[in-house]
Amino acid sequence: MRISILTVAIVFCLIFSGQLWAQGLVDGFMRGQRKASLALTASTESFDTYYVGTTETRNPNLGTVTTQSLNAYGVYGLGYDLDLIVNASYVRAEASAGYWPKQEGLQDLSAALRWEAYDYKLGKARLSWLFAVGYSLPLQNYVTDALVTIGRGSRNFDGRTMLHFTSGAFFLTGQYGYIRRGPVTLDRIVSYYDPAQLNPNTGYKVNVPDVTEFVLRGGVSAKRFYVDGWFQQQTPYSSGTDIGPGIPFPTNAVGFTRAGANAYLRLIGKLGLTAGYSTTLSGQNIGKASRVSGGLVIGI
């Protein structure tokens, strides 16, 4: 499948305050039986404005928060209609002002199975209906209860469905998902915040609000290049808190609307270069960040 190699290029992981935002772990392109691809990318993003609830705020005691990450993404075709996808990141986050210490280390390991359930031919076009289930967990015990951190520290279950349309080189993919987040253990006793977020098992555990996610992506996938534009909206599904004194950061209800673009160029054989840009259009308890990324894509 010509386009299967190129689509690995759309993997871009965006980090703020423990929130991995990657336009979803999966896309609509199947890899193909016993075929594999590997993408190694680097990214940097920064913000000097963040949302308390949905209100934009600047904090001179925080300055500009910069997050850099190295990301490894692999996909392997277990069958013609079933793919295994794995992703891991090393992340560093720091603020230019204030007392927030720099955080650095391995973030989360994510894995997903993607299944192409139905495939319809519409003349020269094709419409596919896909499903995916995924799970992620922290690779180490990193700091979660801080404005500057590399992850939220929760164990997450991700389920989603996709419609993927192709006609010649043009494609359009829409997907909708639900992310169930597990509780997080804090290293402090919670004294004041929304009691609804306190996990009943212990006073040191708090609930992390679940989210729903919608992603729309369209573009062109040709023999030697790939380009797309995308829109992503993540919405808190369960109630949560807003950023404030004494409130644990993992309990905050995080949402955002983002848009961006990716490009890929095949150099020689199955080796290519990829680059991307994205920005935050609106948000809830998250940074108003912009991001650039680039890396190598290898087909195996």
Side-chain angles (χ1 to χ4, degrees), residues 210-225:
D210 301 342
V211 297
T212 59
E213 185 173 83
F214 171 74
V215 182
L216 183 64
R217 184 195 317 276
V220 174
S221 179
K223 186 175 181 179
R224 299 191 63 86
F225 73 93

Side-chain angles (χ1 to χ4, degrees), residues 163-262:
L163 285 176
H164 179 66
F165 174 80
T166 60
S167 179
F170 171 79
F171 72 92
L172 182 66
T173 307
Q175 63 174 278
Y176 181 80
Y178 175 82
I179 302 174
R180 171 69 174 174
R181 303 191 188 280
V184 170
T185 300
L186 304 181
D187 57 359
R188 65 185 175 101
I189 298 175
V190 176
S191 58
Y192 174 77
Y193 71 109
D194 183 356
Q197 296 307 311
L198 181 63
N199 191 285
N201 298 322
T202 170
Y204 292 89
K205 281 190 176 181
V206 294
N207 292 324
V208 181
D210 301 342
V211 297
T212 59
E213 185 173 83
F214 171 74
V215 182
L216 183 64
R217 184 195 317 276
V220 174
S221 179
K223 186 175 181 179
R224 299 191 63 86
F225 73 93
Y226 167 98
V227 62
D228 75 17
W230 55 269
F231 171 88
Q232 179 187 22
Q233 185 173 50
Q234 192 171 103
T235 305
Y237 179 80
S238 51
S239 63
T241 57
D242 290 333
I243 296 173
I247 296 176
F249 285 94
T251 67
N252 290 328
V254 173
F256 55 79
T257 301
R258 291 180 175 132
N262 302 313

Side-chain angles (χ1 to χ4, degrees), residues 82-107:
L82 184 65
D83 286 346
L84 172 64
I85 303 166
V86 179
N87 183 82
S89 299
Y90 185 89
V91 181
R92 178 173 62 193
E94 57 186 334
S96 64
Y99 57 86
W100 300 95
K102 180 177 69 175
Q103 305 294 333
E104 182 174 3
L106 291 170
Q107 197 212 39

Side-chain angles (χ1 to χ4, degrees), residues 6-84:
L6 306 181
T7 55
V8 179
I10 63 178
V11 179
F12 298 93
C13 296
L14 309 177
I15 313 295
F16 160 68
S17 197
Q19 180 65 37
L20 179 72
W21 46 297
Q23 312 146 48
L25 182 63
V26 297
D27 58 45
F29 292 100
M30 297 300 296
R31 181 62 189 91
Q33 188 172 14
R34 296 182 180 180
K35 295 182 179 179
S37 295
L38 175 66
L40 303 174
T41 60
S43 68
T44 181
E45 71 172 79
S46 62
F47 68 88
D48 59 10
T49 301
Y50 62 97
Y51 297 92
V52 175
T54 57
T55 303
E56 292 188 20
T57 304
R58 287 195 176 189
N59 185 349
N61 294 318
L62 181 66
T64 299
V65 175
T66 300
T67 300
Q68 298 170 310
S69 65
L70 297 174
N71 186 70
Y73 173 97
V75 56
Y76 177 74
L78 299 173
Y80 76 94
D81 59 354
L82 184 65
D83 286 346
L84 172 64

